[in-house]
Amino acid sequence: MPLNSKIPSGPLDSKWNTYKSTCKLVNPANKRQIEIIIVGTGLAGASAAASLGELGYKVKSFCFQDSPRRAHSIAAQGGINAAKNYQNDGDSTYRLFYDTIKGGDYRAREGNVHRLAEVSASIIDQCVAQGVPFAREYGGLLSNRSFGGTQVQRTFYAAGQTGQQLLIGAYQALERQISLGNVDMYARHEMLEIVMVDGKARGIIARNLVTGELERHFGHAVLLCTGGYGNVFYLSTNAMGSNVTAAWKATRKGAYFGNPCYTQIHPTCIPVTGDHQSKLTLMSESLRNDGRIWVPKQKDDKRKASDIPEEERDYYLERRYPAFGNLVPRDVASRAAKERCDAGFGVGSSKMAVYLDFASAIDRYGHVEAHKQGLPHADKEAIRTLGKGVVKEKYGNLFEMYEKITGENPYELPMRIYPAVHYTMGGLWVDYELMTNIPNLYALGEANFSDHGANRLGASALMQGLADGYFVIPYTLGNNMADDIRTKPIPTDHPAFVQAEKDVNDRINRLMGIKGKESVESFHKRLGKIMWDKCGMGRNAQGLKEAIEEIKALRKEFWSNVRIPGDIKEYNPELDKAGRVADFLELGELMCIDALHRNESCGGHFREEYQTPDGEAQRDDENFMYVGAWEYKGDSQYELHKEPLDYEVVHPSARSYK
């Protein structure tokens, strides 16, 4: 049976307004009787908790970090999209909608994406009102820069730390609600189970990570805002703690997991340097706004970058995609870098890197600055100094980060970059109201299968997280809670809570009882290698079939030979990590199953058997124009449910950035 996305009827550009005008409401007195659990305090979780607390709901907020401010949203660098058209360069709500649909390779829902484009402008107003220090132009207007997949400047930013500034804004709003008593905050708590009563999500079991105690918490509804699962690859740009556990517990309880194989590979990451690394560091995509990407024209060129003359450099993105150049979307840029390195043109000691060069940007900005300062005849050195000053103002913290990690000065030498796992477009399947197929269980932000299709355009993650939390869930939650106002709080000694806690306890005891010889980390690393080699930037049927069997064997070994030191009833990060890796070992298999079933290439899912003669992704709209939502049926058993994607406004075409 096809899944019902609950997209409102009527013209695309009026669906959301019609929904808001006709949805059910909960009056203020009744909101005070309704308890909401929110797991995660990133942009989606913090903004949802702040908004719902402000509306009068009783909110409980949970995060596994020691402070809500440590959520991984803080690491986002480059910016947040919004169709304000301050530049007067042709932007509009429709163009943001169209770019997002095209960027996602026509695998996203039109209704959701149009809503996202509509509320984008309100997000900027909200954040400015909170005091987020966005960059500004000389005249006082907010500044914008370019990002991949677009030909307009619509990305608002705060130097190279936009996520941090936006999260502090949402965090302050959250803390205000905590101080008013509308939100109870539970830091250092990890959600380990969904509690179901009469077929609805009615609470969670959480583990206090300091004492090891299990706790039962009731909620009329549960909102999962727990981010993405890129750490299934071990090496990724995600924080080490980022995991899939909350979403996976929901999956095991019957929530469908949508498009698990859609993984975003980010093209501008500092390359891997050896086995000692536990995570990778991103260089913001905003650097492609001004930097030019190139490799030497001759294979295995051992010269320094500065010794390679202009005519012997291959600016391959500008060559292959003249219309967009260095600003092609992430999946396109990543595959192009891999192709050059695989063909023998890579740079650096590993030969698995390409150059990101700021020399021409420094020169260009220097000339502008010289004219501004009345120095039209300034010499080369003066122009470079002035240009470096401008670049430092725009990207300074990113350049500092790069120098600290690599020991090289990117103002003098080109950066070396290579693609790495970054964002996951898959996640829990949700309808237009952000509710999973389990009543009263919602997923927001990166935790849901989202509005991005098979590839997320840069600067859209912050947009989606805040859109879901500030502007969507207050309406859609109320529409459903209006039918729940007579439901009294369910006592936590209810049999469903008792059973859920017992299930969690049994699993923890089973993990601690293995007493094997291998560390949790070693299993995670081995899983990551299988995933990257066989379900990474390039995938093929043979490799995916091998990966599925290898992951099954690894999982069996994990459950018989993992070593977890310490005790249950204490602070035990190894035990926390073991639970998360156990979930990754199940998710990894499903990702490979999903990638194997999707016999096409689209966005971040590149099946090597399905590509055009010039190496571009080849979609199969006739057979795969749907969301693949998987239902857990037991170990290694999943049933596929399909949500057909209907395009009323945008007509899918071959995706070209040439």
Side-chain angles (χ1 to χ4, degrees), residues 363-505:
D363 192 51
R364 184 175 76 250
Y365 284 130
H367 276 97
V368 172
E369 202 62 22
H371 278 275
K372 268 165 60 179
Q373 296 184 18
L375 304 168
H377 304 299
D379 63 20
K380 265 188 176 176
E381 198 48 48
I383 284 170
R384 274 188 64 75
T385 302
L386 290 168
K388 282 180 195 171
V390 177
V391 167
K392 186 171 187 179
E393 199 175 314
K394 290 182 86 165
Y395 307 110
N397 65 314
L398 299 170
F399 278 55
E400 281 169 31
M401 218 157 71
Y402 182 86
E403 186 164 6
K404 272 186 184 168
I405 290 168
T406 65
E408 293 177 358
N409 180 351
Y411 293 103
E412 303 296 336
L413 299 166
M415 291 181 181
R416 289 193 310 276
I417 55 163
Y418 193 71
V421 171
H422 180 52
Y423 186 93
T424 48
M425 283 75 66
L428 292 175
W429 180 88
V430 293
D431 60 24
Y432 189 72
E433 299 188 312
L434 305 183
M435 186 152 65
T436 67
N437 58 295
I438 294 178
N440 295 24
L441 178 65
Y442 295 79
L444 282 66
E446 193 180 351
N448 68 30
F449 86 104
S450 82
D451 305 348
H452 309 297
N455 172 58
R456 177 175 71 74
L457 286 185
S460 291
L462 307 185
M463 175 172 67
Q464 189 217 342
L466 292 178
D468 286 358
Y470 282 137
F471 297 109
V472 177
I473 200 69
Y475 288 95
T476 62
L477 181 78
N479 189 48
N480 292 297
M481 288 297 104
D483 298 330
D484 242 347
I485 55 175
R486 285 193 168 82
T487 304
K488 296 278 181 273
I490 296 167
T492 54
D493 57 1
H494 184 285
F497 278 92
V498 176
Q499 184 60 47
E501 184 181 324
K502 181 182 180 303
D503 292 345
V504 173
N505 214 10

Side-chain angles (χ1 to χ4, degrees), residues 317-333:
L317 290 177
E318 296 168 37
R319 168 173 58 79
R320 285 178 62 174
Y321 308 102
F324 281 72
N326 294 296
L327 290 173
V328 291
R330 293 174 176 179
D331 59 321
V332 177

Side-chain angles (χ1 to χ4, degrees), residues 535-570:
C535 194
M537 274 164 74
R539 301 145 181 207
N540 58 59
Q542 173 72 20
L544 290 165
K545 285 173 185 167
E546 289 169 4
I548 290 167
E549 295 310 314
E550 286 169 23
I551 293 168
K552 280 182 186 171
L554 187 63
R555 191 163 69 236
K556 192 174 174 190
E557 188 185 337
F558 173 89
W559 282 101
S560 62
N561 197 30
V562 74
R563 181 176 61 81
I564 306 166
D567 292 315
I568 294 171
K569 292 286 194 287
E570 66 176 9

Side-chain angles (χ1 to χ4, degrees), residues 96-131:
L96 174 52
F97 155 74
Y98 174 78
D99 286 345
T100 307
I101 287 279
K102 178 185 174 185
D105 219 349
Y106 305 97
R107 290 291 176 266
R109 265 194 212 137
E110 274 192 337
N112 283 54
V113 177
H114 200 279
R115 174 175 67 187
L116 183 63
E118 282 176 68
V119 304
S120 66
S122 304
I123 296 170
I124 304 302
D125 297 340
Q126 168 100 355
C127 294
V128 169
Q130 288 174 340

Side-chain angles (χ1 to χ4, degrees), residues 269-272 337-354 416-419 532 537:
C269 194
I270 297 178
V272 179
K338 180 179 189 293
E339 184 276 326
R340 287 289 80 192
C341 291
D342 288 351
F345 296 94
V347 300
S349 54
S350 68
K351 298 298 178 197
M352 295 305 276
V354 299
R416 289 193 310 276
I417 55 163
Y418 193 71
W532 179 248
M537 274 164 74

Side-chain angles (χ1 to χ4, degrees), residues 55-70:
L55 285 170
Y57 292 100
K58 290 167 72 175
V59 178
K60 284 183 175 181
S61 177
F62 294 81
C63 69
F64 67 76
Q65 297 92 343
D66 57 352
S67 158
R69 264 186 63 176
R70 293 205 186 267

